[in-house]
Amino acid sequence: MNSSDIPFLSATELSRLIMTKDVSPVEATKAYLGRIEAVDSKLNSYITICRDDALAAARQAEQEISHGRYMGPLHGIPVAVKDQFWTRGIRTTNGSNIQKDFIPDEDATVVAKLKSAGAILLGKLNMSEYASGDAFHHPYGRPHNPWDLSRNPGTSSSGSGAATAAFLCSTSLGEDTGGSIRGPASFCGLVGIRPSFGRVSRYGVFGASWSMDTVGPISRTTADCAMTLGAIA
């Protein structure tokens, strides 16, 4: 398979190819990083790209799989998460200037669960400032809908919708307080799930409304969404 074709596979298709060793996690990660470099300047879907960390994690996943330590369907899959979720050693801005230098010393539970499933974190995705819904201020550049650059990819998980639809990650996480998973999924032609309250931990997630905040997947297919939710639930 040509490496440039890898980002256009669904997460479940890529998972099967990684499990059978027809595609390596390093190949997949490099393919996504290359596409991010080529495309994202038009979309502003990422705030932070974790190139070195992603490649290191991909090499580790490749070694684990080659030695028979396959951990499941997300092992070696390149993913990205909304910049509302703490990531150990990686800045977490909450879409704001005030927190532009905040570097957590631990992962949000959902990020830790993705990592424990073997997923590769490509980076942190753009969002409305403080996850504030239809905000007009985006300190890291206004995200654009990949289907029409003049249009909104949905708020506040804007980058999660744009990056997933533009094949800049295999699957992603967003956060929904009043529609911020369902909106970007709808605007970008994707599948999004707002899980039932308590299904997914919110520890390490910047909050907007404690009784409504919900973390969930934004993916290209229903199967990809289910696979992602299965890892974080």
Side-chain angles (χ1 to χ4, degrees):
M1 172 177 290
N2 190 314
S3 63
S4 62
D5 294 332
I6 291 174
F8 299 98
L9 298 168
S10 69
T12 48
E13 289 169 333
L14 179 58
S15 177
R16 286 192 291 270
L17 292 173
I18 287 176
M19 181 180 65
T20 59
K21 304 177 186 176
D22 292 307
V23 172
S24 78
V26 172
E27 283 181 287
T29 301
K30 286 182 176 178
Y32 272 105
L33 289 169
R35 183 162 172 78
I36 292 167
E37 185 176 351
V39 172
D40 198 48
S41 60
K42 299 176 183 177
L43 298 176
N44 288 325
S45 67
Y46 279 85
I47 291 177
T48 301
I49 300 166
C50 308
R51 182 179 183 85
D52 292 342
D53 288 347
L55 287 171
R59 286 190 287 269
Q60 179 179 335
E62 187 167 310
Q63 186 175 45
E64 289 165 346
I65 293 168
S66 67
H67 286 84
R69 298 195 298 273
Y70 181 68
M71 295 191 292
L74 275 182
H75 202 175
I77 299 295
V79 305
V81 303
K82 187 177 182 180
D83 206 25
Q84 193 175 352
F85 308 148
W86 290 12
T87 41
R88 181 164 55 89
I90 301 166
R91 71 171 178 161
T92 301
T93 70
N94 202 22
S96 72
N97 279 321
I98 289 174
Q99 288 160 316
K100 66 181 179 180
D101 297 319
F102 174 58
I103 300 177
D105 57 10
E106 60 182 326
D107 286 324
T109 299
V110 290
V111 174
K113 281 180 168 286
L114 287 176
K115 290 180 178 179
S116 69
I120 311 301
L121 181 64
L122 292 170
K124 309 295 294 295
L125 296 168
N126 206 347
M127 56 183 285
S128 303
E129 189 175 33
Y130 301 117
S132 54
D134 288 316
F136 287 94
H137 185 50
H138 293 82
Y140 302 94
R142 177 176 289 278
H144 300 284
N145 192 311
W147 299 107
D148 181 342
L149 297 178
S150 70
R151 295 182 182 271
N152 182 356
T155 54
S156 66
S157 304
S158 316
S160 301
T164 308
F167 308 97
L168 304 186
C169 59
S170 192
T171 184
S172 69
L173 295 186
E175 184 277 326
D176 191 313
T177 301
S180 300
I181 287 172
R182 295 161 290 169
S186 174
F187 282 28
C188 294
L190 300 168
V191 180
I193 295 177
R194 175 189 167 97
S196 56
F197 191 83
R199 174 65 65 187
V200 178
S201 171
R202 296 178 302 170
Y203 182 79
V205 179
F206 281 115
S209 172
W210 74 268
S211 63
M212 296 174 67
D213 297 341
T214 310
V215 179
I218 295 178
S219 309
R220 292 196 289 272
T221 71
T222 303
D224 291 358
C225 216
M227 186 171 79
T228 309
L229 179 59
I232 64 171

